[in-house]
Each structure stands twice: as C-alpha cells, then as structure tokens.
Amino acid sequence: MPLPWKEPRPALKVSLFMGLIEFLRSGFFVGFFPLFGLEILKIPLSYVGFLTTLHYGTEAGTRIFAVWLANRFALGAGLALSAVLAFLSFHLFLYSPVYLYPLWAVTWGLALAPLWPRIAAYLRQLARPGFEGRSVTYAWLIIGPLIASGSFGVGFLSKHDLALGKIALLVGSVFMLAAGLSLYQVRFTETLTKPPPKAWKRYLPLLVPAFLQALAPHLLTTVLFPFLKETELSMRGLALPLTLAGVAFLLAFRLASAYADQKDPVHVVTLAAVFAMAGFGVLGFMPPETAVYWSLPAIGLALGLYMPGWNAVIVRALPEGERGEGWATLSTASGAAFALGPFVGAVAWDLIGPQGPFRLGLFLLALLIPYYQLYFRRLIQHR
C-alpha cells in the first residue's frame, strides 16, 4: 500500500503531532476529567459537561478566523505555539483553582482551532498525483488510533486508578510538546486566491453532512463509560468485537481509498452511513451483551469507508486555492457537533435510557442517505 505523499517524512511527523495533541485532548476530556471532577474535585458532572462544551465550542466558533490569521504565518511556528498553549492548558487544569477552569478550556480550544484545516491543506499539497483524498485519509491511520488510545486507554486506566490516567496524560503531554516544537522549521504557505463575493455559499451543502455525521458519534462522549458500567461490559468482553471492528476497518479502508479517489466518493460515504446506522440500530434495540458482536464490526466498516470517502468529497468539492478556508468552514460545523453532542446524548439518556443515544444516532444517520444520493451528488465533479 504505497504512501500517498511525495515527501512522506514531514507528512508523517505532522500527522504524529496531530495524533498526540488529540490524544491529550481526548484522554483528558473523555477519559480522565469526568472521573477526576467527580471523585477528586467533587464538582457536578454538569460542570464537567459545560467545560467540555466550552472547549469544543471555542475551537469551532473561532476556527475560520483562526485559520485566516494563522495562514499569515509559517505553519511550523503555528504548530509550536498550539503545542505550548495546549500543554499549559492541560497542566493548569490539574494545578489551578476550579473557578479558573473556563479560562483554560477556552485557551485550549483556541490552541487547536487552526490546526486541522492547516494540516489538511499541507498534507494535500504533499500529495502525489491521484492521491489527493488519500493524502489526508492516510494521516488518520496515525491520528485515529491515538484518539482512541486517549479516550479508551486513558479512560480505562482512570476507571481503575486515577493516578494511572494522570501519569499517562502527563507523559503524553511531554511527547506532544516535543513533537510540536520539532516542527518549528516547517514552512508552508497555502496558495491563497481571493474568493469571489459570497464564495462561502459553495460550502453550505457540505455543512449538513459535516454536522450530522459528527453529531451522531459524539452523542456518546459523556455517556460511553456510564453505558459500559450500566451494561457491565468489560475490556475482556469487548476484545473480540473490537478485534473484528479493526479488521473490518482495515479492509474497508484499503478498498475504499482507491475507489473514492478514482471513481465515486458519494457511493462510499452513503455505504458508510448505512453501516453506521446498522451499528447504532443494533445497540439501540438489542441487548448490549449480544449487540456488540454485530455493532462494533459494522461501525468499523463504516469508519473505514467514511474516512477516505469524505476526504475525497472535500478535495473534489473545494477549489484548490480555498481548501484551507473550506476545511475550516466544514470543521466549524463538525466542531459545533462535537460541542453539542455530549449534551444532546445525555438528554437522550435521561429521556429514553442507556439505549437512547444510539436510537437518536440511528435517526440522524438515516437523514444522511437520501441527502447524499438525491442532492449531494450534484456537487461532485466526477473525473
């Protein structure tokens, strides 16, 4: 499986940095902070949820301006600054008064706001001909496992012993800072063109799926570990379905990557939504102990299809000179879903029960399929 970049070394270094900064963020807000807040700080879970929403909301709400501002400076300097701010924010969460926490949540959000759009544009510039979509997609083979390691790895460590979760995050923060500072010399200035008046309208049709497909999984952010506790699912019980999910992901990812770049990415994202619906639906209506053997492999297939399909859609739909701002606009929509999802998922849990977030996710994903096939297809220029 050839690498999609003309210069693999800087692409891999930037991808690793993005994975480490997301490891720290997901490990803290998903895996560690809820338990730390309840058991050590003795603050209500609603305040933890508020801080999480404030963080993700700040990142989403400032992203377009942050990318516009950051594009005026060298990429490496911006990555190093983001690493420093994220490092400081994390440590100040651990060692400062609780009433200052909103300030650190906002600062951490600002630190991450310009990262993904600029890195995606950089990876796209490094792409070999015909590998434009895969240039971004393959980065997720590094980023994705690190996010999962933060959310689940730190989460299970913290569930067993908060001190272990804290140590994992402290070590991760040092590696993240070192990776960010090592990229200081990276130079990349996106080819900027002056967009025509009201050019932002071309992004609007992409905002609907960007929001919905991000909202569905983030319904589970605050309810994931309560769900595992409620259903008494352990890592041992999840080992086989998670392995099957990983195999399904790799198989789907490999097949979909070339197809999405060379043929029709709309078919790929549609099929991803179908498998994601199946995964959410099974967990929403079947006993969880049985459902995980069907749902997790289906979700693995969905993720393996979605990543190359969606990245290929963006590459085709956005003009060359506007991809940085375009990615910023779309990631603002997905960032709003990141911020809203934890609260909406908790409400679904309160109203319906532990299976509520999965049923709501099923409904949201069902909306995507006709949108993709009946309307979205017109945006994509086939090669």
Side-chain angles (χ1 to χ4, degrees), residues 48-351:
V48 174
F50 163 73
L51 292 168
T52 304
T53 293
L54 181 63
H55 165 72
Y56 282 104
T58 299
E59 181 190 6
T62 62
R63 182 167 280 153
I64 295 176
F65 175 76
V67 170
W68 175 85
L69 182 63
N71 277 340
R72 274 67 190 163
F73 303 93
L75 175 64
L79 299 182
L81 178 60
S82 290
V84 170
L85 290 176
F87 181 88
L88 291 175
S89 298
F90 162 67
H91 284 267
L92 288 167
F93 260 112
L94 295 179
Y95 303 112
S96 68
V98 172
Y99 65 83
L100 291 176
Y101 280 13
L103 178 60
W104 314 141
V106 168
T107 303
W108 202 342
L110 291 171
L112 271 61
L115 284 187
W116 177 241
R118 295 198 79 201
I119 287 176
Y122 177 65
L123 293 172
R124 166 61 184 82
Q125 188 185 69
L126 296 178
R128 294 161 50 200
F131 285 75
E132 289 82 2
R134 279 168 282 185
S135 67
V136 179
T137 299
Y138 275 42
W140 276 95
L141 292 177
I142 298 172
I143 299 168
L146 285 168
I147 294 175
S149 297
S151 300
F152 291 96
V154 174
F156 278 107
L157 282 175
S158 301
K159 184 181 175 184
H160 177 72
D161 186 344
L162 275 170
L164 293 177
K166 183 178 179 180
I167 291 171
L169 290 173
L170 289 170
V171 172
S173 72
V174 172
F175 279 103
M176 180 277 298
L177 181 63
L181 295 177
S182 74
L183 295 169
Y184 183 79
Q185 297 299 327
V186 172
R187 294 291 181 266
F188 162 64
T189 302
E190 187 181 7
T191 303
L192 295 173
T193 58
K194 186 176 181 180
K198 299 183 180 179
W200 55 270
K201 286 187 176 181
R202 79 182 68 200
Y203 308 144
L204 289 180
L206 295 167
L207 296 181
V208 173
F211 180 79
L212 291 178
Q213 64 204 13
L215 181 59
H218 282 84
L219 296 172
L220 310 180
T221 301
T222 56
V223 304
L224 179 61
F225 280 94
F227 178 79
L228 293 176
K229 184 176 182 180
E230 180 86 12
T231 56
E232 299 182 350
L233 288 169
S234 65
M235 277 302 296
R236 181 176 297 179
L238 292 172
L240 178 58
L242 283 173
T243 301
L244 294 174
V247 172
F249 168 82
L250 292 174
L251 178 63
F253 184 90
R254 176 151 193 183
L255 295 175
S257 293
Y259 185 89
D261 258 347
Q262 298 168 7
K263 295 184 180 180
D264 190 348
V266 176
H267 282 328
V268 176
V269 292
T270 302
L271 192 58
V274 171
F275 279 113
M277 278 180 57
F280 273 71
V282 168
L283 277 171
F285 292 97
M286 288 179 60
E289 298 80 2
T290 305
V292 291
Y293 289 93
W294 299 96
S295 64
L296 293 185
I299 291 172
L301 277 171
L303 187 59
L305 292 167
Y306 163 75
M307 287 167 54
W310 181 243
N311 286 321
V313 163
I314 295 176
V315 166
R316 292 196 190 187
L318 299 180
E320 177 74 30
E322 298 176 34
R323 284 188 182 139
E325 280 75 9
W327 251 302
T329 303
L330 297 179
S331 54
T332 297
S334 59
F338 297 165
L340 186 61
F343 173 72
V344 175
V347 171
W349 175 293
D350 289 339
L351 295 178

